[in-house]
């Protein structure tokens, strides 16, 4: 159904705006995605928003028109509204022309097919939503199967994480579980667990990787717990030629993912 909303006090506007907060996302099982590029990535991956908000102050792009048509055909709602109301929903002064409300897409660990991809990314206690979103984007870039979030990670469905993923939230499998669930699952089948650590002399390019390879990155400030490192099949580190002793967690993951990918490409 297509309809117009012009008032800030409309109950639907209040409800959708509340999805910026984690407790409301969890209660409803819904999250926000902003921008035509991200919504188009979602559409191409087979995901359509349950609610699509579009700005009536600007001419619609052809991709936006196509997206609207599919949302309506699937029984979703298209809400036409002003840039001011979109700004209220997004929390940005210069909002995107479209905002979508999507159903959360997390995958249960037990249903994951580890052999569907050569590379998997694993993050432990990741706190920064920008890093999490960037890891999703990296996973998409290297053809990884998905991102497994261990322990108390930041919410992958936050506006910041979704924005940083640039649509990869829809193209990558996303699993949330505890370490004591992940490790028995991993050891029940094929899989090499590779941890990034300062507590090793093995250069990341000297390591030999086997598929499926699970690249494990620790918390931004503390790295991996010693007990987690002890369970890894291989620990590697990247050379640091300057004064910094480590890379940003998302950057380190990207460097590792491309090294693993390049080894697989050469074999």
């Amino acid at each position: 159904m297509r309809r117009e909303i012009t008032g800030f006090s409309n109950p639907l506007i209040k409800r959708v705006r509340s999805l910026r907060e984690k407790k409301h996302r969890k209660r409803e099982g819904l999250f926000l995605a902003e921008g035509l590029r991200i919504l188009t990535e979602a559409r191409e991956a087979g995901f359509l928003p349950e609610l699509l908000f579009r700005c009536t102050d600007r001419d619609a792009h052809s991709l936006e028109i196509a997206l609207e048509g599919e949302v309506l055909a699937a029984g979703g709602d298209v809400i036409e509204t002003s840039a001011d109301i979109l700004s209220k929903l997004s929390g940005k002064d210069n909002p995107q022309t479209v905002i979508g409300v999507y159903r959360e897409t997390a995958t249960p660990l037990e249903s994951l097919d580890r052999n569907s991809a050569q590379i998997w990314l694993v993050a432990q206690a990741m706190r920064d939503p920008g890093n999490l979103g960037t890891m999703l984007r990296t996973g998409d870039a290297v053809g990884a199967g998905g991102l497994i979030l261990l322990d108390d990670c930041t919410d992958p469905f936050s506006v910041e994480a979704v924005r940083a993923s640039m649509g990869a939230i829809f193209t990558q499998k996303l699993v949330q579980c505890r370490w004591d669930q992940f490790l028995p699952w991993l050891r029940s089948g094929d899989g090499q667990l590779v941890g990034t650590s300062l507590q090793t002399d093995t250069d990341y390019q000297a390591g030999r990787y086997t598929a499926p390879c699970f690249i494990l990155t620790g918390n931004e400030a503390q790295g991996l717990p010693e007990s987690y490192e002890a369970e890894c099949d291989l620990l590697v580190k990247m050379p640091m030629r300057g004064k910094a002793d480590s890379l940003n967690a998302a950057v380190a993951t990207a460097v590792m993912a491309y090294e693993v990918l390049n080894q697989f490409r050469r074999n």
Side-chain angles (χ1 to χ4, degrees):
M1 180 174 65
R2 187 191 302 275
R3 52 189 161 133
E4 184 178 11
I5 293 178
T6 58
F8 287 94
S9 61
N10 183 281
L12 182 61
I13 298 300
K14 292 182 178 180
R15 176 190 169 210
V16 171
R17 187 173 185 272
S18 74
L19 296 177
R20 296 183 56 79
E21 298 181 32
K22 182 177 179 179
K23 64 180 181 180
H24 296 297
R25 289 195 298 273
K26 292 301 179 185
R27 185 188 68 231
E28 303 230 24
L30 300 170
F31 69 99
L32 295 174
E34 307 170 22
L36 185 56
R37 177 176 175 178
I38 292 179
L39 269 62
T40 299
E41 290 280 351
R43 172 185 165 224
E44 292 176 351
F47 296 93
L48 291 173
E50 296 186 5
L51 294 169
L52 175 66
F53 291 81
R54 65 168 299 269
C55 181
T56 55
D57 299 343
R58 305 168 195 171
D59 293 335
H61 189 280
S62 59
L63 290 174
E64 185 180 331
I65 294 171
L67 176 61
E68 287 182 36
E70 291 196 23
V71 170
L72 291 170
D77 289 342
V78 174
I79 313 298
E80 297 179 336
T81 192
S82 66
D84 287 342
I85 290 181
L86 285 181
S87 178
K88 186 178 182 69
L89 295 179
S90 70
K92 296 170 63 178
D93 291 336
N94 296 303
Q96 300 282 351
T97 58
V98 288
I99 295 176
V101 178
Y102 290 85
R103 184 69 49 183
E104 290 190 359
T105 56
T107 300
L109 178 65
E110 59 272 14
S111 69
L112 206 64
D113 179 5
R114 70 183 71 203
N115 293 307
S116 64
Q118 292 184 311
I119 299 172
W120 295 86
L121 304 184
V122 187
Q124 188 268 331
M126 191 67 58
R127 299 299 188 190
D128 185 86
N131 281 339
L132 195 156
T134 299
M135 290 180 71
L136 283 166
R137 191 175 180 185
T138 295
D140 180 86
V142 301
L147 174 62
I148 300 172
L149 301 176
L150 301 179
D151 305 335
D152 297 320
C153 288
T154 188
D155 184 4
F157 298 107
S158 70
V159 171
E160 296 80 8
V162 172
R163 185 183 297 140
S165 81
M166 293 301 292
I169 188 80
F170 298 103
T171 65
Q172 291 284 285
K173 296 287 187 183
L174 184 63
V175 175
Q176 296 174 282
C177 63
R178 309 294 301 183
W179 170 253
D180 59 7
Q181 297 170 308
F182 168 72
L183 189 61
W185 173 86
L186 178 68
R187 297 310 181 198
S188 69
D190 297 333
Q192 179 191 37
L193 185 61
V194 178
T196 54
S197 172
L198 298 176
Q199 311 306 317
T200 181
D201 293 325
T202 303
D203 186 276
Y204 79 110
Q205 290 186 320
R208 289 296 169 257
Y209 307 111
T210 59
C213 181
F214 292 80
I215 302 171
L216 175 59
T217 304
N219 172 267
E220 293 95 336
Q222 300 173 344
L224 290 170
E226 289 185 10
S227 60
Y228 290 37
E229 290 187 350
E231 296 289 350
C232 289
D233 300 305
L234 179 64
L235 290 176
V236 297
K237 69 178 180 180
M238 282 153 265
M240 304 299 296
R241 301 296 175 86
K243 293 185 178 180
D245 63 358
S246 63
L247 289 171
N248 166 273
V251 172
T253 300
V255 172
M256 276 297 306
Y258 270 99
E259 175 59 27
V260 173
L261 175 64
N262 285 335
Q263 284 197 20
F264 291 163
R265 290 170 64 195
R266 291 193 293 267
N267 293 337

